[in-house]
Structure formats: C-alpha cells, structure tokens
C-alpha cells in the first residue's frame, strides 16, 4: 500500500508540495548540538555516540517556507525503543549553546518557539531518505524515498525565520543531510493509490473518481469476481455497488476512491467516511475489510447522523469519534464495533424499523449495537480507527428483505434514555447517545421467561406488551446513593414519569447529562452529588468515567 502519488496530491489540492531551491546553500548540521552528538563529513553527518538521548541537532541556517529538508538514515540500532523526533524552531541555535536538555519532546516542545513530533519507526530503515517541509500555513508534511506521505503536524508559527530541529533519539543513531534536488527526481508519480486485497479486479487506478453520484457503470472500484461471491455468501440479497463514499466530506486522514476508503499511512484516527445515501429503516449497509494494521489498538467506528454529507463538507471532524456527540446535530456512534475485524471480514449494519442498529460480522451471531431515533433520515458513517485501515462499500440489502430482529434472548439488554416527544430529533440532547447496558450493570433481564420466574404478574404484563414495547429495557436498582424502588417496564412510551423523573430522588425531572458518555437519568442536583461521591465517579448505566455533569434545558 503506497501513499498518494504526486499527481494525486496535486489534484487533491492539499498543498504546494514543497520546493527545492537552486539558489540556496546545502543544509548542514549546526555546531550547537547535544553532548552525545558528533558532527563529521564537513557538517553533513551527525551521529549519536552514547546512550539513547541528548542527541538534539539543528540546521546551520534558517530554511525557507516549503523548502524540502532531506535526511538519510545512515545508522540505525535495535538496542533501544523509539526513533527520531523532528520539526522546527524559531530560536537561533547559537542562543541555545550549553542549554540543551535531554529530549526535544517534551523538554523543548513545551516551550514557545519549538515544534516537533516523534516519528513512526515503520519508516526508519537504513539508507531510507526522509524529507519534510513546512508551508505558509504552518503545516508540516513529510515523505519517504520521494513518496509523499501526508500531514505530520500543524501549528508552526511561520512569521519569522525557522531552523530545522531534530532529536537523534532511540534507534536512530546516524543522519546525513542530502541534496533534495538529487534525491526527489525519482518521485513515484505513477504509483497506484490502493491495491484492494483479495481481488485482482479491484485495483485502484491513479486518477481520482469523478464526483458524480451514483457511481458510473464502469466504476473501476466496484466489487467483482471472487469478492462478489464471498460477499453474496454472507448477504444473499445484497444489491451491489449502489453507492460510494463522498470524496469531499471525509476525515483529514481519509483517502476516498469510489467505494474504497482508506486511512493514510502513519495515522491512526480521523479517517471518517460518509456514504452519499441515507440508511432507511429495514436496510442493511455492507462493507468489506480489506486491510488491517495490528500495530494499533481498537478498530473501526460506526455511527449515524441526521446531517447530509453533502452539506457538512466544511466540518472539522475530531480525532475521537465520541466528540461528535458534542455537536448540536443528531449523532450516534460506537467505536470498536467489530472487535478488530480481520482482513476479508464482511460486516453488515442494519437499521430496523424499531430504531435498533444491529451488526452482523461474517458468520457470527447478530449483535445489537445501539438504539436510535429513526424519525428523521439518518446517514451512516465510518471512522477507520486503530487496526482498520481500509474498507470497501459493498452495497445495500433493501428494506424489502428485512425480517424481524434477532430473538430477545440473543440480544443484550439495553436502556433507552429519557426523551421528550415534543423535541426535534436533530437538535435534541436527549438522543445524542444511546448505548447498551454493559453486563457489569445489573438490569432487569430482557427475557420474558426469566422475568416471569420472579413475578407471574410481571410476566403477564410483558406478554401483553406490543413488540415495540418489549424492546424497552429498565434501569436496575442503583447502588447506595441511587438506591430506591426499581423502575418497572413502562406500559407506554408516552407514560409521563418515564421520560422526566430522576431515578435517584424520584421527584425532580431529568435535567442533566453525564459527559462524555451522554447518558441522562438524574436531575442536576442528584447527578452532581453522585458524580462527586468518590467511589461513584462513573455513569450508572454504562460505567464510563464521568468527566463533568452538564445541565440541560427544555425549550
């Protein structure tokens, strides 16, 4: 899997691509450096001779905006952990003599005028050539062996002169400044962006997909051949290749080519992908996992939003998908939904008419992810997080093939948060996040048979409830401060006390939300008291740590 070619980078409009000025002297290492560094070859080579730190070095002159800085890894080690850190400084190195700390990060970067970041060891190979540059906006981009890799970090103040800052750290022991004009002429401008696994017919060409919708009939990115056979074996009623990912509305580290989306190398988050069409009640959206990287933890996130992807291209998406819940629109999301799916996994997400979101991976039993308000059109989205680096949108199973959801005994018990029927779903804080009740939280069992074992009258009541009402779980008796009579299943979704009464005091209305899980079950006074109780600093529904309690108001 290669990075974007120079042709694709130009087409994407990301940046200018850096320059290699002919009228500037070559970069050399400054005679101000860390105590474990020796400089040789007339200033072109710097090596760390002892320990794993005190290897900070600088360039001997200030660099220009977009000037490519090229360094060669001439010596590497396997005795340590971590590799070099690099960036820029606005401080003249001559003013730092005898004042250099052990590390660039965080000893220098915690001070004004220093910007650097740790590099990924996956790129550090002997004789490999790293280049990087900073543009006028303060964004630092990098590449390896002439191939652009993407954004490294941002926030550099470019209003004054900047010197190169490098920490020869860990397994990086020797660097050499090289001439960018000699090294970057072999940029791989014709390298294909993506080669999709498991199917030779799904190779991705170097030209980006036109922004038309739906995909053209000759879409080179669609599933064909053996890949189709594999997907259809899992979802026989799948309608193939009916949509593709929006090429404009996406995370900053996402690369979109038709129905294929992938995350940039060296990144682990912010690779949001948005299909163009909404997911209608009864429909199932199916994706194939083509690439994974087990160097990371956790995996793909899935969610739904009331926002049309074509109307939110200006939105800056957060690195943590749960931060989407802070937005005023309707967003629901669950991370690590498929438990780090392997390469070749086929995953379907079904939105039922009752508002349940059910996931089915390969031949595993369906799993209830969350419950949503489907009274408004909902658009699906993915975040290629952690181990999941590339997926393909296979197609949609139409609503006409939908069958009632999995039996109650196979589903996890869930809690539906209080909700005011008069509020608009797109702006209601009451529906910002609904999750399953973890097994660690004691809850009334969803199985009518087991409930009946403890009370014949409860069994008769449950048996009389409609199919939709059976889906409603109840809160358990909360321990200690929140103790009190258990809330029995409400006979109606519109029952007055279900949506407004605090589960702690059973007197005041629910007017607070736990941050950042988004659950609502208490009045503000009880929620604050519960949160500040030392042994109970976690949500009583999902057990997530409570960072804050936010008061809510009804319009």
């Amino acid at each position: 899997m290669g990075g974007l070619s120079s042709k694709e980078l130009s087409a994407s409009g990301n940046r200018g691509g850096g320059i290699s000025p002919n009228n500037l002297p070559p970069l050399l290492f400054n005679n101000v450096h860390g105590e474990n560094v020796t400089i040789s070859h007339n200033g072109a080579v710097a090596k760390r001779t002892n320990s794993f730190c005190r290897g900070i070095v600088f360039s001997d002159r200030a660099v220009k905006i977009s000037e490519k800085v090229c360094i060669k890894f001439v010596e590497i080690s396997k005795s340590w952990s971590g590799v070099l850190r690099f960036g820029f400084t606005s401080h003249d190195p001559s003013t730092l003599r005898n004042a250099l700390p052990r590390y660039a990060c965080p000893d220098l970067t915690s001070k004004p005028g220093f910007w650097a970041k740790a590099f990924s060891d996956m790129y550090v190979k002997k004789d490999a050539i790293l280049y990087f540059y900073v543009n006028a906006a303060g964004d630092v981009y990098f590449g390896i062996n002439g191939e652009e890799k993407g954004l490294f970090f941002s926030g550099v103040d470019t209003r004054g002169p900047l010197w190169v800052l490098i920490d020869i750290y860990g397994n990086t022991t020797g660097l050499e400044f090289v001439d960018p004009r000699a090294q970057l002429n072999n940029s791989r401008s014709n390298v294909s962006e993506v080669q999709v696994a498991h199917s030779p017919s799904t190779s991705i060409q170097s030209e980006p997909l036109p922004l038309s919708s739906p995909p053209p009939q000759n879409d080179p990115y669609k599933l064909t051949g053996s890949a189709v056979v594999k997907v259809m074996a899992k979802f026989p009623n799948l309608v193939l290749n009916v949509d593709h990912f929006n090429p404009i509305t996406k995370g900053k580290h996402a690369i979109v080519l038709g129905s294929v989306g992938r995350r940039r190398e060296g990144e682990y988050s912010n690779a949001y992908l948005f299909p163009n069409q909404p997911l209608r009640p009864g429909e199932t959206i199916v994706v194939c996992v083509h690439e994974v990287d087990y160097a990371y933890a956790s995996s793909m996130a899935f969610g739904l939003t009331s926002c049309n992807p074509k109307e939110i291209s200006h939105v800056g998406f957060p690195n943590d998908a749960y931060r989407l819940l802070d937005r005023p629109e309707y967003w629901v999301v669950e991370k690590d939904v498929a438990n780090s799916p392997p390469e070749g996994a086929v995953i379907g997400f079904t939105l039922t008419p009752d508002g349940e979101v059910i996931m089915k991976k390969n031949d595993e039993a369906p799993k209830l992810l969350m419950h949503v308000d489907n009274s408004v059109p909902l658009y699906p989205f993915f975040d290629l997080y952690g181990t999941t680096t590339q997926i393909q949108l296979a197609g949609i199973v139409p609503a006409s093939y939908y069958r009632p959801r999995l039996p109650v005994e196979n589903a996890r018990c869930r809690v539906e948060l209080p909700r005011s029927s008069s509020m608009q779903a797109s702006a209601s804080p009451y529906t910002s996040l609904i999750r399953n009740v973890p097994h660690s939280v004691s809850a009334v069992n969803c199985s009518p048979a087991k409930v009946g074992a403890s009370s014949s009258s409860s069994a008769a009541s449950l048996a009389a409830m409609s199919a939709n009402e059976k889906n409603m779980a109840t809160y358990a008796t909360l321990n200690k401060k929140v103790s009190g009579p258990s809330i029995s299943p409400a006979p109606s979704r519109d029952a007055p006390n279900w949506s407004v009464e605090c589960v702690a005091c059973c007197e005041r209305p629910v007017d607070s939300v736990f941050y950042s899980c988004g659950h609502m079950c208490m009045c503000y006074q009880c929620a604050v008291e519960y949160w500040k109780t030392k042994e109970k600093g976690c949500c009583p529904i999902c057990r997530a740590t409570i960072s804050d309690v936010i008061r809510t108001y009804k319009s």
Side-chain angles (χ1 to χ4, degrees):
M1 294 293 298
L4 284 172
S5 67
S6 59
K7 184 176 182 180
E8 291 167 325
L9 286 166
S10 177
S12 66
N14 285 334
R15 52 214 171 264
I19 58 175
S20 302
N22 293 320
N23 57 345
L24 293 176
L27 284 173
L28 300 173
F29 288 104
N30 201 294
N31 57 11
V32 176
H33 51 74
E35 63 183 61
N36 288 335
V37 173
T38 58
I39 306 296
S40 61
H41 294 73
N42 297 320
V45 175
K47 294 183 179 180
R48 193 188 74 245
T49 55
N50 296 308
S51 185
F52 63 93
C53 58
R54 297 190 184 278
I56 296 174
V57 294
F58 304 93
S59 60
D60 67 333
R61 64 169 175 84
V63 296
K64 301 295 184 181
I65 296 299
S66 296
E67 177 185 352
K68 282 192 172 80
V69 178
C70 292
I71 56 175
K72 182 178 182 179
F73 297 105
V74 293
E75 281 189 8
I76 58 174
S77 170
K78 295 183 179 179
S79 302
W80 311 100
S81 62
V83 290
L84 84 164
R85 289 85 165 96
F86 66 86
F88 298 92
T89 179
S90 59
H91 296 275
D92 187 333
S94 62
T95 65
L96 303 174
R97 191 182 301 273
N98 301 321
L100 293 179
R102 292 165 59 91
Y103 314 106
C105 303
D107 294 349
L108 288 181
T109 55
S110 61
K111 301 177 182 179
F114 295 94
W115 305 272
K117 179 181 173 183
F119 198 42
S120 171
D121 56 4
M122 66 182 292
Y123 297 118
V124 179
K125 311 292 182 185
K126 190 177 187 307
D127 296 328
I129 296 176
L130 162 71
Y131 75 84
F132 59 95
Y133 60 91
V134 59
N135 64 15
D139 299 325
V140 178
Y141 292 91
F142 79 102
I144 292 290
N145 295 329
E147 183 180 355
E148 187 91 26
K149 294 298 182 182
L151 180 68
F152 189 50
F153 65 89
S154 302
V156 178
D157 186 348
T158 59
R159 292 174 294 180
L162 293 171
W163 284 262
V164 175
L165 163 63
I166 301 174
D167 188 352
I168 307 176
Y169 178 85
N171 284 328
T172 307
T173 56
L175 301 175
E176 178 183 4
F177 274 128
V178 294
D179 187 348
R181 291 164 293 186
Q183 298 298 327
L184 299 181
N185 290 333
N186 62 342
S187 179
R188 294 189 282 175
S189 60
N190 296 319
V191 175
S192 295
E193 170 53 36
V194 183
Q195 295 294 327
V196 179
H198 310 299
S199 176
S201 62
T202 54
S203 296
I204 304 305
Q205 308 303 317
S206 59
E207 290 295 335
L209 183 74
L211 305 187
S212 58
S213 179
Q217 294 299 315
N218 60 349
D219 177 13
Y221 315 104
K222 63 185 180 182
L223 285 175
T224 57
S226 60
V228 172
V229 175
K230 182 175 182 178
V231 174
M232 295 298 288
K234 311 296 183 185
F235 296 90
N237 299 314
L238 182 70
V239 178
L240 293 164
N241 309 312
V242 294
D243 198 4
H244 62 276
F245 293 119
N246 191 296
I248 304 300
T249 302
K250 58 186 179 66
K252 65 180 180 180
H253 297 146
I255 299 171
V256 171
L257 289 170
S259 58
V260 174
R262 69 178 297 255
R263 191 179 71 228
R264 291 186 184 277
E265 291 186 39
E267 304 294 343
Y268 66 92
S269 65
N270 210 314
Y272 294 93
L273 301 170
F274 291 82
N276 289 292
Q277 304 301 322
L279 187 63
R280 298 171 179 84
E283 289 185 341
T284 299
I285 185 170
V286 179
V287 297
C288 304
V289 177
H290 284 317
E291 265 197 10
V292 298
D293 186 347
Y294 291 113
Y296 299 97
S298 193
S299 63
M300 175 178 69
F302 174 78
L304 293 161
T305 177
S306 61
C307 299
N308 187 332
K310 298 174 184 177
E311 299 173 358
I312 56 171
S313 58
H314 62 285
V315 171
F317 298 107
N319 288 338
D320 184 352
Y322 283 154
R323 295 296 180 184
L324 291 170
L325 307 177
D326 297 335
R327 296 187 54 79
E329 310 92 355
Y330 183 76
W331 295 80
V332 288
V333 64
E334 194 69 37
K335 295 199 296 189
D336 200 12
V337 292
N339 192 25
S340 298
E343 286 187 13
V346 180
I347 309 172
F349 299 89
T350 303
L351 174 60
T352 74
D354 290 333
E356 293 175 326
V357 178
I358 298 174
M359 181 196 72
K360 186 178 186 302
K361 180 177 73 173
N362 293 333
D363 297 321
E364 296 179 8
K367 174 185 177 182
L368 178 61
L369 290 182
M370 51 190 166
H371 196 282
V372 300
D373 183 349
N374 60 0
S375 62
V376 294
L378 295 176
Y379 294 82
F381 66 91
F382 303 86
D383 181 16
L384 301 187
Y385 185 88
T387 62
T388 311
T389 60
Q390 181 179 300
I391 64 173
Q392 180 159 18
L393 186 58
I396 298 289
V397 177
S400 57
Y401 292 101
Y402 172 73
R403 297 294 178 266
R405 71 179 186 86
L406 66 163
V408 172
E409 59 267 23
N410 289 340
R412 292 173 62 188
C413 187
R414 69 176 165 77
V415 169
E416 180 162 331
L417 300 184
R419 188 175 76 185
S420 171
S421 59
S422 63
M423 301 187 70
Q424 294 295 324
S426 61
S428 171
Y430 289 93
T431 56
S432 61
L433 174 62
I434 301 172
R435 296 189 196 162
N436 299 327
V437 179
H439 293 298
S440 59
V441 180
S442 175
V444 176
N445 197 295
C446 290
S447 170
K450 292 185 179 180
V451 173
S454 59
S455 171
S456 58
S457 59
S458 298
S461 176
L462 279 172
M465 294 171 67
S466 67
N468 188 48
E469 289 163 342
K470 286 182 182 178
N471 293 337
M472 298 181 65
T474 60
Y475 292 105
T477 301
L478 301 176
N479 53 8
K480 210 165 180 178
K481 280 279 184 182
V482 198
S483 63
S486 299
I487 301 175
S488 58
S492 169
R493 188 182 291 268
D494 298 322
N497 290 334
W498 174 257
S499 62
V500 297
E501 191 176 84
C502 171
V503 299
C505 66
C506 299
E507 295 177 356
R508 290 179 290 269
V510 173
D511 62 351
S512 66
V513 58
F514 291 131
Y515 184 80
S516 61
C517 69
H519 283 128
M520 303 177 66
C521 61
M522 297 185 192
C523 65
Y524 183 72
Q525 181 176 336
C526 290
V528 171
E529 184 179 356
Y530 178 81
W531 172 43
K532 290 184 177 179
T533 303
K534 187 173 182 180
E535 68 272 13
K536 294 181 181 176
C538 55
C539 174
I541 299 174
C542 68
R543 314 310 294 173
T545 300
I546 299 173
S547 301
D548 198 0
V549 174
I550 302 171
R551 191 161 195 167
T552 60
Y553 300 89
K554 296 182 182 179
S555 57

